[in-house]
Amino acid sequence: MEDGAGRGLECQKIMDMKVNNGNGSKKAIPSCCLKARASAPELDAKCHSTVVSGWFSESYSCSGKGSKRVYFNNPMWPGEAHSLEAKNILYKGKSEYQEILVFESSTYGKVLVLDGIVQLTEKDECAYQEMIAHLPLCSIPSPKSVLVVGGGDGGVLREISRHSSVELIDICEIDKMVIDVCKEYFPELSVGFEDPRVRLHVGDAVEFLRLAPEGKYDAIIVDSSDPVGPAQELVEKPFFQTIAKALRPGGVLCNMAESMWLHTHLIQDMISICRETFKGSVHYAWASVPTYPSGVIGFLICSTEGPPVDFLNPVNPIEKLEGAVKYKRELRFYNSEIHKAAFALPTFLKREVRLLRDSPIPTGRIHVL
Ligand code: SPD
C-alpha cells in the first residue's frame, strides 16, 4: 500500500467539501473517484468500494470512514486501474482468505473479482483457461495425471477434461467459498468439477505438494492469483522445487506468469528460479486477455529432465483430440497456430531477459526464450 493514510486524508477532505451547484466553480475530484467522472456527477461518487458510481476499478479503492478512509493501489500495477462499467452487483462476500465480488458488466458479461482483482470475465475467460491448460497438455503425448493448483472457478478443469487420455485430475484450491460462488454464478466454468476424473482437495497447495508422491503427475498447472499476500509463496523457489519433485521425468509445468509489460523483473526472477529447478526446458509464452492488467498474461512453461519436450511443436495437437468438444463447447481461443505463436516474444522482452542467458548454463539442457 503506498501513501495510504495521506491519500486517505486527501480523499476525505475533498469528499467533505460542500458543492455549490449554481456558481459554476470547479471542484477537485478525489483521485479514487476520477474513473466515475464520465458517467456520474461527482457528488454521487462514493469512494468506499471498488465500484464507484457504476464503474468497477481494479485495485483502486477507498475504504474506512472519516479520517480513517484510506486509498489502496495494488503494488502489482501502480499508477493504473482498469475499469469496467458495472450494471449490477450480483454477489459480495468475504471468505476466510479474501473478498469475493461478482458483478454483471456492460461489455464482458459476469466478472469474478477477488480482493479487488479481476480473475475472469465471461467474455474473455476462454483465452486464459484454454491456453494455460492446452499449452502443456498438447505438448506431451497422452497426459494421464494432472494437478491444478488454485483454479477454484473450474474453468481450467473444464479445459483439461477435453483430453480423453487424462485419468486423474487433482485440484488443490484453498478457498472453498470461491468454488461455491462460481458454481452459483459461473456454471459454464464450474461445469469442470462435474467430470468424474476430478478429485477436489480444499487446502494449502504448498502443503499438498510437499506431501505429493514423487513423480506422480504428468502435468501441473498453477492457476494462481497474483503474488501479493498469501500467493507470494507460489513464486518462490521452494514451491517450484516441490512441483519439480511431484512431476515425472519429462513432466510439464504451466504457471501463470503475469504481464510482460508490467512485471519484467518478476518474470526474470521466475525464469531464473525455474532454470535452476527444471532441468528439461524453460519457456515463456503469452496471450491476449483484455480484462487483465495491460491486456496480456504470460505463462511460464517448464519440463523436468527426462524425455525431451518440444513445447513449440505440440505432439498432441488439439485438432486430433476426440474429446476436444467436451460439454458441447467449442474451443474459442486455442488452436495449434496460436500455440506456436504464443512463444514468439517481443524484442524488448527478449532483450531484458537475455541478461539471464549470460549466466553459465550447463550444456545438454534446452533453454529457449
Ligand atoms: N491478474 C489476474 C491473474 C488471474 C489469474 N487467475 C485467474 C483465474 C482464472 N481461472
Side-chain angles (χ1 to χ4, degrees):
M1 197 185 312
E2 55 178 47
D3 195 19
R7 291 189 196 198
L9 283 172
E10 176 201 0
C11 172
Q12 172 64 32
K13 200 166 76 190
I14 299 169
M15 289 304 285
D16 283 348
M17 281 168 54
K18 293 277 176 274
V19 177
N20 182 344
N21 280 330
N23 67 8
S25 66
K26 280 202 162 179
K27 300 171 298 296
I29 300 172
S31 54
C32 55
C33 297
L34 278 172
K35 291 282 175 185
R37 184 168 51 175
S39 66
E42 296 94 305
L43 263 186
D44 291 345
K46 292 183 173 55
C47 59
H48 65 270
S49 87
T50 51
V51 180
V52 179
S53 289
W55 284 80
F56 163 84
S57 279
E58 189 174 51
S59 311
Y60 197 65
S61 62
C62 287
S63 72
K65 284 189 178 159
S67 60
K68 293 210 172 80
R69 188 172 283 170
V70 289
Y71 170 94
F72 298 93
N73 187 206
N74 190 299
M76 290 291 293
W77 34 89
E80 57 186 86
H82 183 235
S83 296
L84 287 169
E85 191 175 26
K87 284 201 292 192
N88 205 1
I89 307 267
L90 301 171
Y91 176 86
K92 200 162 190 258
K94 199 166 171 32
S95 75
E96 199 183 326
Y97 302 98
Q98 54 207 337
E99 277 193 7
I100 304 174
L101 170 72
V102 179
F103 69 90
E104 179 78 41
S105 68
S106 300
T107 46
Y108 280 83
K110 279 181 263 175
V111 183
L112 173 68
V113 179
L114 299 180
D115 274 347
I117 298 175
V118 171
Q119 299 300 309
L120 61 94
T121 78
E122 285 183 314
K123 182 171 174 173
D124 64 5
E125 56 91 5
C126 58
Y128 177 82
Q129 330 271 11
E130 291 180 16
M131 291 296 273
I132 201 169
H134 303 307
L135 285 175
L137 296 184
C138 290
S139 297
I140 52 174
S142 295
K144 289 192 172 48
S145 173
V146 184
L147 168 66
V148 180
V149 171
D153 50 76
V156 174
L157 298 177
R158 179 194 69 204
E159 293 308 317
I160 295 169
S161 69
R162 296 182 194 271
H163 291 258
S164 46
S165 65
V166 170
E167 294 165 2
L168 167 71
I169 313 173
D170 275 334
I171 173 167
C172 186
E173 162 64 57
I174 200 164
D175 197 342
K176 172 84 164 51
M177 198 187 275
V178 170
I179 299 173
D180 294 339
V181 169
C182 289
K183 284 188 175 168
E184 174 86 22
Y185 294 99
F186 297 95
E188 287 220 5
L189 287 97
S190 63
V191 68
F193 282 100
E194 287 171 20
D195 191 300
R197 296 168 290 178
V198 170
R199 281 197 327 212
L200 169 63
H201 308 266
V202 175
D204 178 9
V206 174
E207 190 61 8
F208 182 87
L209 272 159
R210 214 174 49 75
L211 300 173
E214 205 165 312
K216 176 170 183 178
Y217 297 105
D218 296 311
I220 297 179
I221 296 172
V222 180
D223 177 17
S224 62
S225 46
D226 299 291
V228 274
Q232 173 65 37
E233 273 188 277
L234 306 189
V235 293
E236 288 169 1
K237 191 167 184 181
F239 180 67
F240 287 110
Q241 286 171 327
T242 58
I243 289 182
K245 193 162 115 316
L247 284 169
R248 64 148 165 91
V252 292
L253 160 70
C254 189
N255 202 109
M256 190 277 285
E258 298 297 348
S259 160
M260 60 190 171
W261 293 107
L262 303 170
H263 308 120
T264 325
H265 292 290
L266 176 62
I267 294 167
Q268 279 181 345
D269 287 351
M270 289 171 83
I271 289 173
S272 178
I273 289 170
C274 286
R275 282 183 173 171
E276 288 163 17
T277 311
F278 293 88
K279 313 288 187 195
S281 54
V282 177
H283 293 262
Y284 190 81
W286 61 284
S288 154
V289 181
T291 57
Y292 285 163
S294 84
V296 298
I297 193 93
F299 307 98
L300 194 53
I301 304 187
C302 313
S303 63
T304 55
E305 194 168 25
V309 180
D310 181 4
F311 286 108
L312 276 62
N313 295 292
V315 289
N316 189 24
I318 198 89
E319 293 80 4
K320 297 201 175 146
L321 287 186
E322 280 175 19
V325 193
K326 183 93 178 170
Y327 304 121
K328 301 200 175 90
R329 184 185 157 108
E330 301 279 349
L331 284 154
R332 296 180 185 173
F333 189 88
Y334 179 88
N335 56 47
S336 289
E337 283 171 297
I338 284 272
H339 180 123
K340 290 178 192 167
F343 292 90
L345 303 183
T347 307
F348 80 87
L349 186 62
K350 282 188 177 183
R351 190 178 298 130
E352 287 180 43
V353 294
R354 194 175 47 205
L355 290 173
L356 289 169
R357 283 199 171 154
D358 298 338
S359 53
I361 295 168
T363 52
R365 290 164 51 184
I366 310 165
H367 282 295
V368 184
L369 197 72

